[in-house]
Amino acid sequence: MVVPPEHLHWVKILVLHGPNLNLLGRREPGIYGSVTLNDINRLLEEEGQKLQAKVSTLQSNHEGVLVDAIHDAQANYQGIVINAGAYTHTSVAIRDAIAAVNLPTVEVHLSNIYRRESFRHHSFIAPVAIGQISGFGADSYRLGLQALVFHLKQLNSG
Ligand code: CA2
């Protein structure tokens, strides 16, 4: 692949969406709104242009696919934004993968998980993330991307 010279200093960010997020905008609009996953991915690509970040996105309903994507990210990306969906509250495997690759990772959620059922209050991801953004709908992703890129630029300017 030929990289245009103006993109040489861009950071590469992987955005991961976990289980059921492919249903966004089609079911339960009362909780998750009417925005689709495609809308969110487009919003992130546009925000990436402003931040000089090349954003790639992947959604999977399968824990192992997400674990493999995190492993593969090590060689190809500088950071990860992840909404692990329900795996947030269950997956030691995703947490271990994030800890193993040691890429700065921001956890995001559409809904405010602390205003919901108590089983959503615990995140296995939070202790291995640089931070968490929860409750701002699609803007949680935008804010998460901004926070990650600012974090990476700070690391590279020191
Ligand atoms: O608020 C979030 O972003 C969540 O990660 C969403 C997960 C939920 O299990 C977490 O506790 C919080 C669920 C994603 C399911 O998305 C749907 C979208 C439309 C219809 C049904 C489910």
Side-chain angles (χ1 to χ4, degrees):
M1 196 184 97
V2 179
V3 180
E6 67 273 19
H7 282 198
L8 279 175
H9 60 285
W10 283 35
V11 288
K12 289 172 77 182
I13 306 296
L14 178 63
V15 177
L16 291 174
H17 308 284
N20 296 309
L21 287 161
N22 53 313
L23 300 177
L24 272 182
R26 302 174 214 290
R27 307 271 159 77
E28 300 198 60
I31 302 179
Y32 297 113
S34 56
V35 175
T36 68
L37 198 60
N38 271 342
D39 294 334
I40 292 178
N41 288 341
R42 262 200 307 271
L43 171 159
L44 288 170
E45 280 161 29
E46 283 168 20
E47 189 65 30
Q49 296 280 330
K50 295 181 196 158
L51 296 166
Q52 301 196 316
K54 167 100 183 69
V55 175
S56 304
T57 59
L58 173 78
Q59 189 275 330
S60 179
N61 294 323
H62 304 278
E63 190 175 20
V65 172
L66 294 165
V67 168
D68 285 343
I70 293 164
H71 292 173
D72 294 345
Q74 174 104 73
N76 301 309
Y77 297 94
Q78 279 85 58
I80 297 173
V81 173
I82 185 166
N83 181 354
Y87 287 144
T88 304
H89 320 297
T90 64
S91 180
V92 177
I94 291 176
R95 172 206 177 107
D96 285 352
I98 293 168
V101 298
N102 207 19
L103 285 175
T105 297
V106 175
E107 174 183 357
V108 300
H109 297 285
L110 295 156
S111 62
N112 179 348
I113 57 176
Y114 304 100
R115 290 183 68 168
R116 301 185 62 193
E117 304 94 324
S118 58
F119 66 83
R120 297 188 202 273
H121 297 179
H122 177 259
S123 166
F124 280 103
I125 315 286
V128 293
I130 56 171
Q132 183 196 65
I133 297 173
S134 178
F136 298 97
D139 267 340
S140 292
Y141 283 92
R142 189 204 305 271
L143 293 165
L145 179 64
Q146 288 173 352
L148 178 57
V149 173
F150 292 162
H151 174 87
L152 289 167
K153 291 195 172 158
Q154 257 168 18
L155 284 184
N156 291 334
S157 70

